[in-house]
């Protein structure tokens, strides 16, 4: 299984390390040709406006959109914003997932925080459903999800921080910054199913 990580800006190296731990073949993606032999793609956290503009400059926006119609893509944080169809701002988006997001939704006081998330749904793919230690950094929330989108994780106050639409996965937080590979394993299970 070969997984690409979009490597224009942001926390792409950390994803590569996690994928390697799980034995996947990896590739840093900066050119559309590099999508050709991939089974799945991760769009990392970073700054979504910057990554979006670079995707336009590198002629990657349309190729990744097409890739996502048939292959698994996982967006973490800024990557989740890029997968959305609406972020309430003028910025390039892939518009692959029927979700709307609010950027930097946790305000100044909670700019960055950590939380133990209930991830019972990970049990089947990974064998362990104990709480996931999640790191949020100037994170978006998933404000609303369309009919075809499954909410995977909400915070106790109801705000959605992980959602899935078929082979597309969006998380507000950064599983690549923890030692816990369960989310990456879950993503690989979506890649394998596709
Ligand atoms: N705040 C960033 C944005 O809106 C996302 C932050 C992140 O990816 N950690 O693009």
């Amino acid at each position: 299984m070969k997984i690409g990580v979009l490597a224009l800006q942001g926390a792409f190296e950390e994803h590569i390390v996690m994928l390697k731990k799980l034995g996947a073949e990896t590739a840093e993606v900066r050119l559309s040709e590099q999508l050709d032999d991939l089974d799945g793609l991760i769009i990392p956290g970073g700054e979504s406006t910057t990554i979006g503009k670079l995707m336009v400059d590198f002629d990657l926006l349309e190729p990744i959109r097409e890739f996502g119609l048939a292959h698994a893509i996982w967006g973490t944080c800024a990557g989740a914003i890029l997968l959305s169809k609406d972020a309430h701002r003028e910025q390039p988006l892939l518009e692959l997932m029927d979700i709307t997001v609010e950027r930097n939704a946790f305000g100044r006081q909670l700019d960055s925080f950590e939380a133990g998330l209930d991830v019972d749904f990970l049990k089947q793919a990974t064998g362990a459903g104990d709480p996931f230690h999640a790191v949020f950094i100037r994170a978006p929330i998933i404000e609303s999800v369309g009919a075809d989108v499954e909410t995977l994780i909400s915070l106790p106050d109801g705000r959605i921080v992980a959602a899935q639409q078929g082979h597309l996965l969006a998380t507000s937080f950064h599983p690549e910054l923890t030692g816990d590979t369960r989310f990456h394993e879950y993503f690989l299970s979506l890649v394998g199913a596709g």
Side-chain angles (χ1 to χ4, degrees):
M1 214 183 284
K2 187 168 175 186
I3 310 295
V5 183
L6 187 66
L8 300 175
Q9 190 260 339
F12 53 88
E13 279 163 21
E14 292 83 349
H15 275 296
I16 302 239
V17 170
M18 295 292 264
L19 291 166
K20 284 196 170 141
K21 264 193 205 170
L22 293 171
E25 202 187 328
T26 60
E28 293 184 6
V29 174
R30 296 186 184 86
L31 302 169
S32 60
E33 303 87 87
Q34 293 168 323
L35 296 167
D36 292 347
D37 62 344
L38 297 181
D39 300 300
L41 179 72
I42 294 180
I43 304 178
E47 215 287 318
S48 62
T49 309
T50 306
I51 298 175
K53 283 185 182 154
L54 289 168
M55 279 162 88
V56 172
D57 291 349
F58 283 67
D59 288 324
L60 274 166
L61 196 67
E62 201 47 48
I64 292 179
R65 195 175 279 148
E66 263 167 47
F67 181 86
L69 298 177
H71 300 89
I73 302 185
W74 174 19
T76 53
C77 204
I81 296 167
L82 287 157
L83 282 175
S84 77
K85 63 168 192 193
D86 187 4
H88 303 298
R89 298 193 199 185
E90 275 303 313
Q91 67 180 98
L93 297 174
L94 291 163
E95 296 173 35
L96 280 166
M97 284 185 77
D98 191 9
I99 57 176
T100 62
V101 298
E102 186 191 344
R103 291 178 58 183
N104 304 325
F106 293 96
R108 251 193 214 156
Q109 229 177 342
L110 282 176
D111 225 2
S112 297
F113 66 102
E114 306 193 7
L117 301 179
D118 178 9
V119 289
D120 205 41
F121 75 95
L122 288 178
K123 218 182 245 169
Q124 213 183 340
T126 69
D130 39 304
F132 191 92
H133 183 79
V135 183
F136 292 81
I137 304 167
R138 291 175 53 73
I141 53 157
I142 300 167
E143 207 174 46
S144 62
V145 300
D148 295 336
V149 182
E150 189 187 347
T151 296
L152 294 179
I153 305 176
S154 321
L155 297 178
D157 65 9
R159 290 189 283 185
I160 302 169
V161 293
Q164 181 179 339
Q165 181 177 352
H167 53 266
L168 304 171
L169 180 64
T171 55
S172 298
F173 48 94
H174 290 268
E176 78 283 9
L177 299 183
T178 65
D180 192 334
T181 53
R182 282 180 291 160
F183 251 97
H184 289 78
E185 262 176 80
Y186 183 68
F187 179 63
L188 294 183
S189 78
L190 297 184
V191 174

